[in-house]
PDB file of all heavy atoms in Angstrom:
ATOM      1  N   ALA V 335      82.322  75.295 113.201  1.00 92.00           N
ATOM      2  CA  ALA V 335      81.121  75.252 112.369  1.00 92.00           C
ATOM      3  C   ALA V 335      81.332  74.187 111.315  1.00 92.00           C
ATOM      4  O   ALA V 335      82.386  74.146 110.677  1.00 92.00           O
ATOM      5  CB  ALA V 335      80.854  76.604 111.732  1.00 92.00           C
ATOM      6  N   VAL V 336      80.352  73.320 111.152  1.00 91.00           N
ATOM      7  CA  VAL V 336      80.441  72.252 110.162  1.00 91.00           C
ATOM      8  C   VAL V 336      79.797  72.744 108.865  1.00 91.00           C
ATOM      9  O   VAL V 336      78.712  73.317 108.876  1.00 91.00           O
ATOM     10  CB  VAL V 336      79.739  70.977 110.663  1.00 91.00           C
ATOM     11  CG1 VAL V 336      79.721  69.894 109.605  1.00 91.00           C
ATOM     12  CG2 VAL V 336      80.406  70.483 111.933  1.00 91.00           C
ATOM     13  N   ALA V 337      80.490  72.526 107.766  1.00 88.00           N
ATOM     14  CA  ALA V 337      80.021  72.955 106.454  1.00 88.00           C
ATOM     15  C   ALA V 337      79.800  71.731 105.572  1.00 88.00           C
ATOM     16  O   ALA V 337      80.759  71.180 105.047  1.00 88.00           O
ATOM     17  CB  ALA V 337      81.036  73.898 105.811  1.00 88.00           C
ATOM     18  N   PRO V 338      78.550  71.272 105.428  1.00 84.00           N
ATOM     19  CA  PRO V 338      78.317  70.149 104.533  1.00 84.00           C
ATOM     20  C   PRO V 338      78.546  70.572 103.095  1.00 84.00           C
ATOM     21  O   PRO V 338      78.165  71.667 102.698  1.00 84.00           O
ATOM     22  CB  PRO V 338      76.846  69.784 104.788  1.00 84.00           C
ATOM     23  CG  PRO V 338      76.243  70.996 105.368  1.00 84.00           C
ATOM     24  CD  PRO V 338      77.344  71.758 106.051  1.00 84.00           C
ATOM     25  N   ASN V 339      79.192  69.723 102.324  1.00 76.00           N
ATOM     26  CA  ASN V 339      79.517  69.962 100.923  1.00 76.00           C
ATOM     27  C   ASN V 339      80.191  71.323 100.723  1.00 76.00           C
ATOM     28  O   ASN V 339      79.595  72.274 100.252  1.00 76.00           O
ATOM     29  CB  ASN V 339      78.289  69.838 100.027  1.00 76.00           C
ATOM     30  CG  ASN V 339      78.715  69.675  98.573  1.00 76.00           C
ATOM     31  OD1 ASN V 339      79.889  69.532  98.268  1.00 76.00           O
ATOM     32  ND2 ASN V 339      77.749  69.701  97.693  1.00 76.00           N
ATOM     33  N   CYS V 340      81.447  71.380 101.090  1.00 77.00           N
ATOM     34  CA  CYS V 340      82.217  72.636 101.058  1.00 77.00           C
ATOM     35  C   CYS V 340      83.040  72.768  99.785  1.00 77.00           C
ATOM     36  O   CYS V 340      84.123  73.309  99.809  1.00 77.00           O
ATOM     37  CB  CYS V 340      83.113  72.721 102.272  1.00 77.00           C
ATOM     38  SG  CYS V 340      84.280  71.342 102.371  1.00 77.00           S
ATOM     39  N   GLY V 341      82.525  72.278  98.669  1.00 72.00           N
ATOM     40  CA  GLY V 341      83.276  72.335  97.414  1.00 72.00           C
ATOM     41  C   GLY V 341      83.589  73.732  96.941  1.00 72.00           C
ATOM     42  O   GLY V 341      84.543  73.940  96.218  1.00 72.00           O
ATOM     43  N   ASN V 342      82.794  74.719  97.334  1.00 78.00           N
ATOM     44  CA  ASN V 342      83.055  76.112  96.980  1.00 78.00           C
ATOM     45  C   ASN V 342      83.819  76.765  98.129  1.00 78.00           C
ATOM     46  O   ASN V 342      83.262  76.999  99.194  1.00 78.00           O
ATOM     47  CB  ASN V 342      81.734  76.839  96.718  1.00 78.00           C
ATOM     48  CG  ASN V 342      81.920  78.278  96.307  1.00 78.00           C
ATOM     49  OD1 ASN V 342      83.031  78.820  96.324  1.00 78.00           O
ATOM     50  ND2 ASN V 342      80.838  78.911  95.943  1.00 78.00           N
ATOM     51  N   THR V 343      85.086  77.041  97.910  1.00 83.00           N
ATOM     52  CA  THR V 343      85.906  77.596  99.002  1.00 83.00           C
ATOM     53  C   THR V 343      85.414  78.961  99.446  1.00 83.00           C
ATOM     54  O   THR V 343      85.631  79.351 100.585  1.00 83.00           O
ATOM     55  CB  THR V 343      87.380  77.691  98.587  1.00 83.00           C
ATOM     56  OG1 THR V 343      87.476  78.485  97.406  1.00 83.00           O
ATOM     57  CG2 THR V 343      87.976  76.321  98.366  1.00 83.00           C
ATOM     58  N   ALA V 344      84.725  79.703  98.576  1.00 86.00           N
ATOM     59  CA  ALA V 344      84.198  81.005  98.974  1.00 86.00           C
ATOM     60  C   ALA V 344      83.186  80.860 100.104  1.00 86.00           C
ATOM     61  O   ALA V 344      83.145  81.672 101.027  1.00 86.00           O
ATOM     62  CB  ALA V 344      83.570  81.721  97.783  1.00 86.00           C
ATOM     63  N   ASP V 345      82.363  79.796 100.057  1.00 87.00           N
ATOM     64  CA  ASP V 345      81.346  79.598 101.088  1.00 87.00           C
ATOM     65  C   ASP V 345      81.966  79.291 102.446  1.00 87.00           C
ATOM     66  O   ASP V 345      81.566  79.848 103.473  1.00 87.00           O
ATOM     67  CB  ASP V 345      80.389  78.468 100.700  1.00 87.00           C
ATOM     68  CG  ASP V 345      79.507  78.843  99.516  1.00 87.00           C
ATOM     69  OD1 ASP V 345      79.343  80.054  99.245  1.00 87.00           O
ATOM     70  OD2 ASP V 345      78.993  77.922  98.856  1.00 87.00           O
ATOM     71  N   ILE V 346      82.952  78.398 102.502  1.00 88.00           N
ATOM     72  CA  ILE V 346      83.553  78.063 103.786  1.00 88.00           C
ATOM     73  C   ILE V 346      84.429  79.212 104.292  1.00 88.00           C
ATOM     74  O   ILE V 346      84.556  79.435 105.486  1.00 88.00           O
ATOM     75  CB  ILE V 346      84.303  76.713 103.764  1.00 88.00           C
ATOM     76  CG1 ILE V 346      84.581  76.246 105.195  1.00 88.00           C
ATOM     77  CG2 ILE V 346      85.560  76.787 102.910  1.00 88.00           C
ATOM     78  CD1 ILE V 346      84.925  74.796 105.328  1.00 88.00           C
ATOM     79  N   TYR V 347      85.020  79.979 103.373  1.00 89.00           N
ATOM     80  CA  TYR V 347      85.754  81.178 103.776  1.00 89.00           C
ATOM     81  C   TYR V 347      84.810  82.132 104.525  1.00 89.00           C
ATOM     82  O   TYR V 347      85.149  82.654 105.590  1.00 89.00           O
ATOM     83  CB  TYR V 347      86.362  81.861 102.553  1.00 89.00           C
ATOM     84  CG  TYR V 347      87.021  83.186 102.881  1.00 89.00           C
ATOM     85  CD1 TYR V 347      88.373  83.256 103.193  1.00 89.00           C
ATOM     86  CD2 TYR V 347      86.295  84.365 102.886  1.00 89.00           C
ATOM     87  CE1 TYR V 347      88.975  84.467 103.497  1.00 89.00           C
ATOM     88  CE2 TYR V 347      86.887  85.586 103.188  1.00 89.00           C
ATOM     89  CZ  TYR V 347      88.227  85.622 103.492  1.00 89.00           C
ATOM     90  OH  TYR V 347      88.812  86.823 103.799  1.00 89.00           O
ATOM     91  N   LYS V 348      83.640  82.383 103.950  1.00 89.00           N
ATOM     92  CA  LYS V 348      82.672  83.297 104.571  1.00 89.00           C
ATOM     93  C   LYS V 348      82.196  82.756 105.919  1.00 89.00           C
ATOM     94  O   LYS V 348      82.010  83.513 106.868  1.00 89.00           O
ATOM     95  CB  LYS V 348      81.500  83.536 103.640  1.00 89.00           C
ATOM     96  CG  LYS V 348      81.880  84.337 102.413  1.00 89.00           C
ATOM     97  CD  LYS V 348      80.743  84.426 101.419  1.00 89.00           C
ATOM     98  CE  LYS V 348      81.183  85.100 100.137  1.00 89.00           C
ATOM     99  NZ  LYS V 348      80.134  85.129  99.126  1.00 89.00           N
ATOM    100  N   LEU V 349      81.999  81.446 106.004  1.00 89.00           N
ATOM    101  CA  LEU V 349      81.598  80.839 107.279  1.00 89.00           C
ATOM    102  C   LEU V 349      82.671  81.061 108.336  1.00 89.00           C
ATOM    103  O   LEU V 349      82.386  81.414 109.476  1.00 89.00           O
ATOM    104  CB  LEU V 349      81.346  79.339 107.074  1.00 89.00           C
ATOM    105  CG  LEU V 349      80.951  78.540 108.310  1.00 89.00           C
ATOM    106  CD1 LEU V 349      79.635  79.044 108.894  1.00 89.00           C
ATOM    107  CD2 LEU V 349      80.850  77.063 107.966  1.00 89.00           C
ATOM    108  N   SER V 350      83.937  80.867 107.967  1.00 90.00           N
ATOM    109  CA  SER V 350      85.019  81.061 108.939  1.00 90.00           C
ATOM    110  C   SER V 350      85.118  82.526 109.365  1.00 90.00           C
ATOM    111  O   SER V 350      85.380  82.817 110.524  1.00 90.00           O
ATOM    112  CB  SER V 350      86.347  80.560 108.388  1.00 90.00           C
ATOM    113  OG  SER V 350      86.819  81.397 107.354  1.00 90.00           O
ATOM    114  N   GLU V 351      84.909  83.452 108.439  1.00 89.00           N
ATOM    115  CA  GLU V 351      84.942  84.872 108.792  1.00 89.00           C
ATOM    116  C   GLU V 351      83.810  85.232 109.749  1.00 89.00           C
ATOM    117  O   GLU V 351      83.963  86.097 110.608  1.00 89.00           O
ATOM    118  CB  GLU V 351      84.883  85.737 107.534  1.00 89.00           C
ATOM    119  CG  GLU V 351      86.153  85.706 106.715  1.00 89.00           C
ATOM    120  CD  GLU V 351      87.378  86.169 107.493  1.00 89.00           C
ATOM    121  OE1 GLU V 351      87.336  87.255 108.095  1.00 89.00           O
ATOM    122  OE2 GLU V 351      88.389  85.438 107.503  1.00 89.00           O
ATOM    123  N   THR V 352      82.672  84.575 109.602  1.00 87.00           N
ATOM    124  CA  THR V 352      81.542  84.805 110.524  1.00 87.00           C
ATOM    125  C   THR V 352      81.924  84.391 111.938  1.00 87.00           C
ATOM    126  O   THR V 352      81.585  85.072 112.905  1.00 87.00           O
ATOM    127  CB  THR V 352      80.296  84.022 110.055  1.00 87.00           C
ATOM    128  OG1 THR V 352      79.965  84.444 108.750  1.00 87.00           O
ATOM    129  CG2 THR V 352      79.123  84.251 110.981  1.00 87.00           C
TER     130      THR V 352
END
Side-chain angles (χ1 to χ4, degrees):
V336 175
N339 197 7
C340 59
N342 181 353
T343 57
D345 291 339
I346 195 163
Y347 174 92
K348 291 173 186 176
L349 179 62
S350 70
E351 289 301 309
T352 301

